[in-house]
Amino acid sequence: MLDFHQSELASETQSRTTQIRHGDALGDLIARAATSLGLDKSVFLRAAIEREASRVLEAASRHVLTKDDAARFASALDAAPAPTPRALAAAKAYRARVVHAD
């Protein structure tokens, strides 16, 4: 049997259902994969869905920059932009209202 590890979600009560329609080729592929691991088809499908859902969420939670983009981002962080007239006016108004502003 191939290396297969169930997550902590496998111990949850299996109380919800999700129905999908698929063709014969995908059905055969699922059955062959589950059999090759010595698993029940439901166990295999739950694990595959969990793994893919986790992968999608992990990929969506981070930004991957090219070297050029990373260099531009770093230089933008290192070089502060010049203050706008509105920012200068806000700082002046703040200093006028706050006695101990340094």
Side-chain angles (χ1 to χ4, degrees), residues 8-30:
E8 62 277 357
L9 295 181
S11 63
E12 283 188 320
T13 301
Q14 308 301 314
S15 59
R16 297 181 67 175
T17 62
T18 302
Q19 296 181 358
I20 62 167
R21 294 192 185 282
H22 56 75
D24 291 338
L26 180 56
D28 292 343
L29 183 64
I30 293 167

Side-chain angles (χ1 to χ4, degrees), residues 68-82:
D68 187 45
D69 289 340
R72 276 193 240 157
F73 183 73
S75 67
L77 291 176
D78 292 339

